[in-house]
Amino acid sequence: MALGRLGLVAVLVLSVGLPIVLDQYKLYVVSLTLVYVILAIGLNLTLGYAGQISLCHAAFMAFGSYAVAILGRRGVPFEVGLVVGVAVAFGWGLVLGFPALKVKHHYLAMVTLGFNIIVFLVLRNWESLTGGSFGISNVARPAWGPLSFKSDRAFYLYILAWATVAVASAYWILSSRWGRAFRAIRENEMRAEVVGVSLRNYKLMAFAIGAAYAGMGGALFAPLLGYIDPGAYTLDRSIQFLMMVVLGGLGRFEGPFIGALVVTVLPEVLRGSEGLYLIIYALSVILMMLFMPKGLVGLWDLAWRSSRSRTSPSTSSGSPR
Amino acid sequence: MRSGRSVQPLLAALLTLMAVTPASSQGVIKLPIVAEITGGGASVGAMWRDAVNLAVEDINKKGGILGMKLETAVQDTQTDPPTSVAVMRRVLNDKPFAIFGTVYSSSTVANMDIARQAGVPQFTGSESVIITQKGNDNIFLTSFTQDTGMAKQVRWLLDDLKAEKIALIWVNNAFGKGGHDMFVQFLKERGKVPVVDISTEVQQVDFTPELTKVRASGATHVMVYNHEEENARFMIQLRKIGLTVEPVGETTLCAQTTITPGGAAVNGAKCHVGLTAGAPVPLMIDMNRRFQEKYNRVPDHNAFKGYIGVHMLKAAVQRVGGWDQAKVRACLHNNVFTTAEEAGLLMDLYVNDKGSLDRPSFIVEVRDQKSVVTKTVGMLGGPYNVRPCK
Amino acid sequence: MADLVQLCVAGVSIGAIYAMAAIGFVLLWQTSNTINFAQGEFVVLPAFAMVLFFVIFRLPFAVAMLATVLVSTLLLGVGVKELLVARLLKMGVLPLVIATIGLSLLIRYSLQQFWTPLALPFPAIFSRDPIRLGTIVVSLEEIGNILFAAVVIGALQLFITRTKLGWAMQAVAQNRTLASVLGINVSRLVTITFVLNAALTAVAAILIAPVYLVKYDIGVSLGLKAFYAAIIGGFNQIRGALLGGLLVGVVETLSAAYISSHFRDAFALVILIAVLLLKPEGIWGVKEEWA
């Protein structure tokens, strides 16, 4: 990977040190960005690496959020809630993988879109379980006996820990044969099948694993906000994640980081222009697609190439690109 | 060194993030507005913002509050609860005295805890009853919640209009569900049940299913509780299908933002409203005129709420005699504020121990595409006592 | 029983509007592989233009309509094609999808910010007086929408099947490479398709405006319903879009009345998913060749 071991350690140390220097607003934005990174990693896996269009990422996120919120209300420890949420998301990801076997591209997009809307409707109407439109407040943050992660700073570190797990596990998956199989499917399905890649299992896994990450992100999202309602898990949210992943760079490991950063931080930076910033944001999206259709990771590559010596080795075939 | 170079831009980013925010300037009280300027709530947030700005302008012209001038700034929440949380946090960094917003209940429920933790009093335009059920002593509504509003509504429907069979059409979100639940509860207390109870969606276009059900049920009155555009479409279709049922509503049906797109179809609708530009209250007529002069449009109930909210703060600060957030908070619970002491309140009001209001309200009828007040309804409870706050 | 008929009439009337939005959508996909996420906004923009010409400038109806169609075809037809599609088409489906998402946001928020976030009234084109047939009450507006849509769709179908340009469009839709080898100027044809779509959405806007009211966000649900309609009916046939639109309209209306209003949006979706899993090319669609 581009950063090198020492660089990674430096980033980690700085990330851990951030809560000391940042005020509660900026810390919140960074925490939210980290959560979105986890979600973007999942979608990047499904869409970027395996080429399966998923427009229901927010629904998988909802499973994580509501699992943690509902179980937390009954006193279940946060980590258990997270695992349950991830498992539910994984399960539904498998279910959604089956249509992916039958249909492709825009058809698959429609099935996932439909799933997202149906999940939203169920969340809204199943009042006894989810609180319906009124949502669930005071979602509990994790606590290990006397050690509580309730404070914003402590919870930020907690999120950082899970984000590291997500990044590391994604790296591992993509370096393994799974990663190679996903990329083979993305490039050319027929050829992959001929070469012996069991399309069926890998496609199902691409959906399921991507969904699992979304579940994890959702589980961390709920206590960060403190209050969840069905409105946070609509089609708009799924489209937001789609934008993150494409803007960042599909099928590139750095993509989710860049995408999450841009989509979360850009509106905050542009906030000074009052109502105009959404228009500027929309314009930027169009322009970015016109001039950098492979995503902003192209800029990253450019910056990287100019600061490296010509003789340094490029990324080996085994690591994710 | 390679990794060293990668660290440099990160350090630069860190240093930028660390930039210290300036301390508040002397002699000025900061009152940020956190509202829905874009997104689904744009029309609502715009009214709130404009009215708060007008109120601040009015107050500053008369010398401010206790000699201090007021300063506002607008922050957009995009009608998105997570964004409103970020905005609330950002705004709290400037150490304001009080915050005005949000208006949408789903955002307010998400962000009100943060204001409470910072001890900054929050004035909201939300009306959902769940806001008062969270045990938050830092939130102050600028209208009554749906439980007071619907109580008055049902009383008027049954006692004044002598409604026999009532159909209920409501929008399926937090706002509509809250109103629905309260309405049904108060009806039940009087031994009645809606003959039709059917939910609608935001942005719904066709209301034939609802209208055929209403027609089939033989309802005498239909309680229409959607957002403004949907109400307009509903009324147009109700007239098209030639139904003779009497349309009644609570605030939204007779709002100007329903009448403008709905046109003549809305004529004949009767509503219980908390605030209306057509109220025969001299103070409200005056505020209406000044709002129109400045902004070239008629204020709606969200505008009135914003204007009154600022003056609630003024009244409390004046009664406390100083800029003390904790004392102002305490003053704004279980207390009466009258227009005699603060004209900007537009009407006498009572704030209960949960931060919600009781206040006189109005029955309006839409005639010639205008909301005309036909009756004034007194406070629901009382008599209330004035408490000193020093 | 009377209620059932009443509901079906309403469903067909609204379905006709969905169909109009869906047809252009299908045309764009067929000839240029564009999934236009901004299709709903392609209707909203001309609707606002109509308000400008007809309500504000008080031009005669026919003139206002012509002006609207002109503005629409220039901006959303030629403009979008040359500035966006031409460049992005060769990059694959996704960048274009994201660009159209960006375009839909741009149109939506620009209208909201620079014009108004409030809903604007629009005068009815057809009379709204109730016509009673027994216990069923309809108005000219329902009938007018259905007839108008039928005429437009019929004309379009004739154009596609009976004119040289229409045949060229069919050729490009079936196999772009082969069509260009045969001498068809594919790029020019794609432009014509976009112009056609823009004209269609402009006409749809005129029908929709009195019913939907003109507001910056009406494109969201309309675009979605157009999607459903196109997929359910058949993504590569005009009559498929018609069937899909009518089906979505009727299913929505009937299910809200007879099954559950809480899950109103779900029933059309269930049909959508069923169609996608059982016959992905749509009910009247033809299997696509993945050339």
Side-chain angles (χ1 to χ4, degrees), chain B residues 104-125:
Chain B
Y104 265 49
S105 304
S106 50
S107 290
T108 308
V109 178
N111 61 46
M112 64 189 207
D113 215 43
I114 299 168
R116 185 179 63 85
Q117 283 169 26
V120 175
Q122 183 181 4
F123 293 84
T124 174

PDB file of all heavy atoms in Angstrom, chain B residues 104-125:
ATOM      1  N   TYR B 104     -38.431  21.158  12.416  1.00  0.00           N
ATOM      2  CA  TYR B 104     -38.885  19.794  12.209  1.00  0.00           C
ATOM      3  C   TYR B 104     -38.627  18.950  13.454  1.00  0.00           C
ATOM      4  O   TYR B 104     -37.498  18.891  13.959  1.00  0.00           O
ATOM      5  CB  TYR B 104     -38.162  19.179  11.004  1.00  0.00           C
ATOM      6  CG  TYR B 104     -38.962  19.306   9.734  1.00  0.00           C
ATOM      7  CD1 TYR B 104     -39.511  20.517   9.349  1.00  0.00           C
ATOM      8  CD2 TYR B 104     -39.197  18.207   8.922  1.00  0.00           C
ATOM      9  CE1 TYR B 104     -40.256  20.634   8.187  1.00  0.00           C
ATOM     10  CE2 TYR B 104     -39.925  18.310   7.750  1.00  0.00           C
ATOM     11  CZ  TYR B 104     -40.459  19.521   7.401  1.00  0.00           C
ATOM     12  OH  TYR B 104     -41.194  19.628   6.248  1.00  0.00           O
ATOM     13  N   SER B 105     -39.656  18.267  13.916  1.00  0.00           N
ATOM     14  CA  SER B 105     -39.553  17.523  15.159  1.00  0.00           C
ATOM     15  C   SER B 105     -38.474  16.442  15.105  1.00  0.00           C
ATOM     16  O   SER B 105     -37.775  16.218  16.098  1.00  0.00           O
ATOM     17  CB  SER B 105     -40.897  16.879  15.507  1.00  0.00           C
ATOM     18  OG  SER B 105     -41.897  17.864  15.568  1.00  0.00           O
ATOM     19  N   SER B 106     -38.331  15.775  13.970  1.00  0.00           N
ATOM     20  CA  SER B 106     -37.346  14.685  13.930  1.00  0.00           C
ATOM     21  C   SER B 106     -35.932  15.218  14.110  1.00  0.00           C
ATOM     22  O   SER B 106     -35.071  14.532  14.656  1.00  0.00           O
ATOM     23  CB  SER B 106     -37.456  13.895  12.625  1.00  0.00           C
ATOM     24  OG  SER B 106     -37.463  14.773  11.531  1.00  0.00           O
ATOM     25  N   SER B 107     -35.684  16.442  13.663  1.00  0.00           N
ATOM     26  CA  SER B 107     -34.364  17.036  13.902  1.00  0.00           C
ATOM     27  C   SER B 107     -34.235  17.494  15.346  1.00  0.00           C
ATOM     28  O   SER B 107     -33.212  17.281  15.983  1.00  0.00           O
ATOM     29  CB  SER B 107     -34.132  18.234  12.977  1.00  0.00           C
ATOM     30  OG  SER B 107     -33.979  17.819  11.651  1.00  0.00           O
ATOM     31  N   THR B 108     -35.293  18.117  15.858  1.00  0.00           N
ATOM     32  CA  THR B 108     -35.221  18.651  17.222  1.00  0.00           C
ATOM     33  C   THR B 108     -34.969  17.544  18.222  1.00  0.00           C
ATOM     34  O   THR B 108     -34.143  17.692  19.132  1.00  0.00           O
ATOM     35  CB  THR B 108     -36.527  19.385  17.574  1.00  0.00           C
ATOM     36  OG1 THR B 108     -36.811  20.332  16.560  1.00  0.00           O
ATOM     37  CG2 THR B 108     -36.415  20.089  18.904  1.00  0.00           C
ATOM     38  N   VAL B 109     -35.659  16.417  18.061  1.00  0.00           N
ATOM     39  CA  VAL B 109     -35.445  15.317  19.000  1.00  0.00           C
ATOM     40  C   VAL B 109     -33.993  14.860  18.951  1.00  0.00           C
ATOM     41  O   VAL B 109     -33.417  14.465  19.966  1.00  0.00           O
ATOM     42  CB  VAL B 109     -36.377  14.127  18.676  1.00  0.00           C
ATOM     43  CG1 VAL B 109     -36.123  12.988  19.608  1.00  0.00           C
ATOM     44  CG2 VAL B 109     -37.819  14.555  18.770  1.00  0.00           C
ATOM     45  N   ALA B 110     -33.385  14.904  17.773  1.00  0.00           N
ATOM     46  CA  ALA B 110     -31.988  14.465  17.646  1.00  0.00           C
ATOM     47  C   ALA B 110     -31.023  15.452  18.279  1.00  0.00           C
ATOM     48  O   ALA B 110     -30.041  15.058  18.912  1.00  0.00           O
ATOM     49  CB  ALA B 110     -31.646  14.256  16.171  1.00  0.00           C
ATOM     50  N   ASN B 111     -31.282  16.769  18.120  1.00  0.00           N
ATOM     51  CA  ASN B 111     -30.259  17.730  18.537  1.00  0.00           C
ATOM     52  C   ASN B 111     -30.508  18.398  19.878  1.00  0.00           C
ATOM     53  O   ASN B 111     -29.629  19.099  20.389  1.00  0.00           O
ATOM     54  CB  ASN B 111     -30.039  18.797  17.445  1.00  0.00           C
ATOM     55  CG  ASN B 111     -31.287  19.601  17.163  1.00  0.00           C
ATOM     56  OD1 ASN B 111     -31.968  20.055  18.077  1.00  0.00           O
ATOM     57  ND2 ASN B 111     -31.592  19.783  15.893  1.00  0.00           N
ATOM     58  N   MET B 112     -31.688  18.179  20.486  1.00  0.00           N
ATOM     59  CA  MET B 112     -31.974  18.969  21.677  1.00  0.00           C
ATOM     60  C   MET B 112     -31.143  18.540  22.887  1.00  0.00           C
ATOM     61  O   MET B 112     -30.905  19.336  23.793  1.00  0.00           O
ATOM     62  CB  MET B 112     -33.468  18.934  21.995  1.00  0.00           C
ATOM     63  CG  MET B 112     -34.040  17.602  22.364  1.00  0.00           C
ATOM     64  SD  MET B 112     -35.848  17.764  22.441  1.00  0.00           S
ATOM     65  CE  MET B 112     -36.221  16.477  23.597  1.00  0.00           C
ATOM     66  N   ASP B 113     -30.724  17.297  22.873  1.00  0.00           N
ATOM     67  CA  ASP B 113     -29.922  16.838  23.998  1.00  0.00           C
ATOM     68  C   ASP B 113     -28.565  17.540  24.051  1.00  0.00           C
ATOM     69  O   ASP B 113     -28.012  17.766  25.118  1.00  0.00           O
ATOM     70  CB  ASP B 113     -29.715  15.329  23.874  1.00  0.00           C
ATOM     71  CG  ASP B 113     -29.686  14.679  25.221  1.00  0.00           C
ATOM     72  OD1 ASP B 113     -30.539  15.048  26.058  1.00  0.00           O
ATOM     73  OD2 ASP B 113     -28.811  13.842  25.470  1.00  0.00           O
ATOM     74  N   ILE B 114     -28.042  17.856  22.886  1.00  0.00           N
ATOM     75  CA  ILE B 114     -26.729  18.488  22.820  1.00  0.00           C
ATOM     76  C   ILE B 114     -26.796  19.908  23.351  1.00  0.00           C
ATOM     77  O   ILE B 114     -25.902  20.363  24.070  1.00  0.00           O
ATOM     78  CB  ILE B 114     -26.228  18.466  21.375  1.00  0.00           C
ATOM     79  CG1 ILE B 114     -26.109  17.026  20.938  1.00  0.00           C
ATOM     80  CG2 ILE B 114     -24.896  19.164  21.253  1.00  0.00           C
ATOM     81  CD1 ILE B 114     -25.897  16.844  19.495  1.00  0.00           C
ATOM     82  N   ALA B 115     -27.869  20.609  23.024  1.00  0.00           N
ATOM     83  CA  ALA B 115     -28.025  21.958  23.563  1.00  0.00           C
ATOM     84  C   ALA B 115     -28.170  21.893  25.070  1.00  0.00           C
ATOM     85  O   ALA B 115     -27.648  22.740  25.797  1.00  0.00           O
ATOM     86  CB  ALA B 115     -29.249  22.622  22.930  1.00  0.00           C
ATOM     87  N   ARG B 116     -28.884  20.857  25.507  1.00  0.00           N
ATOM     88  CA  ARG B 116     -29.099  20.729  26.946  1.00  0.00           C
ATOM     89  C   ARG B 116     -27.787  20.483  27.666  1.00  0.00           C
ATOM     90  O   ARG B 116     -27.506  21.065  28.705  1.00  0.00           O
ATOM     91  CB  ARG B 116     -30.074  19.595  27.246  1.00  0.00           C
ATOM     92  CG  ARG B 116     -30.424  19.484  28.724  1.00  0.00           C
ATOM     93  CD  ARG B 116     -31.424  18.364  28.973  1.00  0.00           C
ATOM     94  NE  ARG B 116     -30.881  17.067  28.617  1.00  0.00           N
ATOM     95  CZ  ARG B 116     -30.131  16.330  29.424  1.00  0.00           C
ATOM     96  NH1 ARG B 116     -29.829  16.779  30.626  1.00  0.00           N
ATOM     97  NH2 ARG B 116     -29.685  15.172  29.019  1.00  0.00           N
ATOM     98  N   GLN B 117     -26.949  19.607  27.098  1.00  0.00           N
ATOM     99  CA  GLN B 117     -25.660  19.322  27.728  1.00  0.00           C
ATOM    100  C   GLN B 117     -24.801  20.573  27.824  1.00  0.00           C
ATOM    101  O   GLN B 117     -24.021  20.732  28.751  1.00  0.00           O
ATOM    102  CB  GLN B 117     -24.911  18.253  26.933  1.00  0.00           C
ATOM    103  CG  GLN B 117     -25.437  16.855  27.182  1.00  0.00           C
ATOM    104  CD  GLN B 117     -24.862  15.858  26.189  1.00  0.00           C
ATOM    105  OE1 GLN B 117     -23.771  16.074  25.653  1.00  0.00           O
ATOM    106  NE2 GLN B 117     -25.582  14.785  25.925  1.00  0.00           N
ATOM    107  N   ALA B 118     -24.974  21.467  26.839  1.00  0.00           N
ATOM    108  CA  ALA B 118     -24.174  22.694  26.865  1.00  0.00           C
ATOM    109  C   ALA B 118     -24.836  23.781  27.694  1.00  0.00           C
ATOM    110  O   ALA B 118     -24.253  24.841  27.910  1.00  0.00           O
ATOM    111  CB  ALA B 118     -23.971  23.179  25.425  1.00  0.00           C
ATOM    112  N   GLY B 119     -26.077  23.519  28.155  1.00  0.00           N
ATOM    113  CA  GLY B 119     -26.755  24.498  28.989  1.00  0.00           C
ATOM    114  C   GLY B 119     -27.231  25.730  28.247  1.00  0.00           C
ATOM    115  O   GLY B 119     -27.452  26.778  28.846  1.00  0.00           O
ATOM    116  N   VAL B 120     -27.405  25.605  26.915  1.00  0.00           N
ATOM    117  CA  VAL B 120     -27.851  26.756  26.122  1.00  0.00           C
ATOM    118  C   VAL B 120     -29.337  26.601  25.826  1.00  0.00           C
ATOM    119  O   VAL B 120     -29.734  25.678  25.114  1.00  0.00           O
ATOM    120  CB  VAL B 120     -27.057  26.828  24.802  1.00  0.00           C
ATOM    121  CG1 VAL B 120     -27.585  27.936  23.925  1.00  0.00           C
ATOM    122  CG2 VAL B 120     -25.576  27.004  25.092  1.00  0.00           C
ATOM    123  N   PRO B 121     -30.197  27.485  26.337  1.00  0.00           N
ATOM    124  CA  PRO B 121     -31.641  27.337  26.125  1.00  0.00           C
ATOM    125  C   PRO B 121     -31.986  27.276  24.639  1.00  0.00           C
ATOM    126  O   PRO B 121     -31.416  28.004  23.833  1.00  0.00           O
ATOM    127  CB  PRO B 121     -32.233  28.606  26.768  1.00  0.00           C
ATOM    128  CG  PRO B 121     -31.209  29.067  27.735  1.00  0.00           C
ATOM    129  CD  PRO B 121     -29.886  28.652  27.183  1.00  0.00           C
ATOM    130  N   GLN B 122     -32.893  26.369  24.306  1.00  0.00           N
ATOM    131  CA  GLN B 122     -33.246  26.165  22.899  1.00  0.00           C
ATOM    132  C   GLN B 122     -34.720  26.456  22.693  1.00  0.00           C
ATOM    133  O   GLN B 122     -35.577  25.900  23.375  1.00  0.00           O
ATOM    134  CB  GLN B 122     -32.928  24.723  22.505  1.00  0.00           C
ATOM    135  CG  GLN B 122     -33.176  24.396  21.054  1.00  0.00           C
ATOM    136  CD  GLN B 122     -32.866  22.950  20.731  1.00  0.00           C
ATOM    137  OE1 GLN B 122     -32.534  22.172  21.620  1.00  0.00           O
ATOM    138  NE2 GLN B 122     -32.994  22.579  19.476  1.00  0.00           N
ATOM    139  N   PHE B 123     -35.038  27.320  21.743  1.00  0.00           N
ATOM    140  CA  PHE B 123     -36.409  27.643  21.391  1.00  0.00           C
ATOM    141  C   PHE B 123     -36.721  26.975  20.068  1.00  0.00           C
ATOM    142  O   PHE B 123     -36.035  27.209  19.077  1.00  0.00           O
ATOM    143  CB  PHE B 123     -36.601  29.155  21.266  1.00  0.00           C
ATOM    144  CG  PHE B 123     -36.462  29.860  22.583  1.00  0.00           C
ATOM    145  CD1 PHE B 123     -35.210  30.208  23.061  1.00  0.00           C
ATOM    146  CD2 PHE B 123     -37.575  30.149  23.355  1.00  0.00           C
ATOM    147  CE1 PHE B 123     -35.067  30.841  24.278  1.00  0.00           C
ATOM    148  CE2 PHE B 123     -37.446  30.776  24.572  1.00  0.00           C
ATOM    149  CZ  PHE B 123     -36.186  31.134  25.047  1.00  0.00           C
ATOM    150  N   THR B 124     -37.732  26.131  20.042  1.00  0.00           N
ATOM    151  CA  THR B 124     -37.991  25.356  18.832  1.00  0.00           C
ATOM    152  C   THR B 124     -39.362  25.669  18.245  1.00  0.00           C
ATOM    153  O   THR B 124     -40.276  26.072  18.958  1.00  0.00           O
ATOM    154  CB  THR B 124     -37.915  23.850  19.126  1.00  0.00           C
ATOM    155  OG1 THR B 124     -38.301  23.137  17.960  1.00  0.00           O
ATOM    156  CG2 THR B 124     -38.849  23.470  20.255  1.00  0.00           C
ATOM    157  N   GLY B 125     -39.495  25.463  16.952  1.00  0.00           N
ATOM    158  CA  GLY B 125     -40.783  25.612  16.297  1.00  0.00           C
ATOM    159  C   GLY B 125     -41.503  24.277  16.189  1.00  0.00           C
ATOM    160  O   GLY B 125     -42.584  24.195  15.614  1.00  0.00           O
TER     161      GLY B 125
END
